[in-house]
Amino acid sequence: MALSDLLYPDNPKRRQELIRLHQELLDCMSTNFHATNELARVLNEHLGCTITHIRMRESSTVKENCDIMIQAMSEIQHQVQKIDSDMKEKLEPVLYQKLYDIKEPELEKIAIAHKVFSIVLGEATSTAGMVAIKLLSSNLITLTVSKLVSLLAQIGASVLGGISITILGLGIEMILHAILGAVERNQLLAAVRSYEKHLAEFKAASEKYRHAIREVTSLVRQRVQ
C-alpha cells in the first residue's frame, strides 16, 4: 500500500471516482461528436454548406479533441451567420425583419427563406427554408454553441486537457499517473472535485446542444416521411 493511502485512506475510492468521471467525459464528448456530424450533414445537404465531418482521435489528448470540436462548432457558427447575411442581402428590410418576428406565422417565414435559398443555391430542397428558419430562430448558436465552446476551452486548458483519451485501456496505476501527472497523490480530492465541476457543466451544456440539434434534424426526418 502506498504511503499516501495510509495517510489518506479515502484515496483508493477517489481513484476509482476519477476514472469513472474520465469515462463519463469521454462518453459525453463522443456523443457530441456524433451530434455535430448530424447537424453538419443537414447543413451540407440542404443549405449548401461544406462542413467537414469530425471524429475523435484516440491517440490524442482531451485538449486536442476539444480543439477539434471547437473548430467544427466555430464553422457551424460561421455558416449560420452567413445564412443570416444572405437573408439580409437578398430580402427587403421588411421581409428580413419578418424572419425574426415571433408574431409572424412559421409557414410564411419558411416560404421567405426558401425563396432566398432558391436564389443563392440555384435550386433548394423542400426543407431548406424550414432548416434555415429553425437555425435562425432558435438559440442553437447564440447560447448552446457559445456555451459549449467556452466549456471545451476551459476543459482543454485545465489539468484534464493533457490526458490521453485512451488511458482507460491501461492499468489502474498508469491511468492515475496519466491523470495526475505531477499532482501529488494527496491532492486526489481536489482533482476529483475539479473533474466533477467541469463534467457537470459540460454535461448540462451538451444536453442543451444535442437537444437543439435534434430539433433541427427531426424536422428533416419528418419532411422525408
Side-chain angles (χ1 to χ4, degrees):
M1 180 179 292
L3 176 60
S4 58
D5 290 350
L6 291 173
L7 296 174
Y8 303 94
D10 285 339
N11 269 1
K13 181 174 67 176
R14 290 169 187 163
R15 289 192 182 98
Q16 293 299 327
E17 180 68 5
L18 205 53
I19 293 167
R20 183 188 65 79
L21 291 170
H22 185 66
Q23 183 62 66
E24 284 191 30
L25 174 65
L26 299 189
D27 290 344
C28 193
M29 287 184 67
S30 177
T31 306
N32 286 345
F33 268 70
H34 177 73
T36 301
N37 283 334
E38 278 292 296
L39 181 58
R41 181 187 62 78
V42 170
L43 293 177
N44 291 346
E45 183 176 345
H46 297 282
L47 302 183
C49 301
T50 55
I51 302 171
T52 303
H53 280 213
I54 57 176
R55 64 181 181 84
M56 286 185 72
R57 296 179 181 173
E58 294 186 357
S59 60
S60 300
T61 63
V62 169
K63 181 184 186 306
E64 288 165 338
N65 280 281
C66 284
D67 289 343
I68 292 172
M69 273 290 297
I70 290 173
Q71 183 175 356
M73 295 170 79
S74 297
E75 178 61 18
I76 289 171
Q77 285 180 310
H78 172 74
Q79 292 294 340
V80 174
Q81 289 166 359
K82 184 178 182 301
I83 291 169
D84 178 72
S85 297
D86 288 339
M87 296 291 174
K88 194 170 187 177
E89 179 184 346
K90 303 294 183 183
L91 293 172
E92 293 292 330
V94 174
L95 290 178
Y96 175 74
Q97 290 300 322
K98 282 187 176 183
L99 297 178
Y100 292 95
D101 189 344
I102 59 174
K103 296 179 181 179
E104 288 293 328
E106 189 82 356
L107 289 178
E108 184 174 345
K109 294 180 183 180
I110 291 171
I112 293 171
H114 188 269
K115 288 180 181 178
V116 172
F117 275 99
S118 295
I119 296 171
V120 173
L121 301 178
E123 182 180 357
T125 67
S126 59
T127 56
M130 189 181 301
V131 172
I133 291 303
K134 191 64 180 178
L135 286 171
L136 294 175
S137 62
S138 74
N139 62 359
L140 174 63
I141 297 304
T142 56
L143 293 178
T144 58
V145 172
S146 297
K147 176 65 174 177
L148 202 53
V149 166
S150 174
L151 288 173
L152 284 165
Q154 290 177 34
I155 290 172
S158 72
V159 68
L160 314 180
I163 304 169
S164 170
I165 68 169
T166 58
I167 64 168
L168 293 175
L170 305 176
I172 296 285
E173 287 305 315
M174 292 184 71
I175 291 173
L176 292 170
H177 176 73
I179 291 177
L180 298 175
V183 178
E184 293 294 331
R185 296 298 178 91
N186 59 14
Q187 291 181 280
L188 268 171
L189 180 57
V192 168
R193 286 177 175 170
S194 174
Y195 226 144
E196 285 177 335
K197 177 180 180 295
H198 282 95
L199 184 60
E201 293 178 347
F202 185 62
K203 287 173 70 174
S206 294
E207 180 53 40
K208 291 180 180 178
Y209 172 67
R210 293 194 295 267
H211 176 73
I213 290 177
R214 284 194 297 270
E215 287 187 354
V216 176
T217 56
S218 64
L219 287 176
V220 176
R221 285 193 292 271
Q222 290 170 11
R223 190 75 176 187
V224 170
Q225 293 171 356

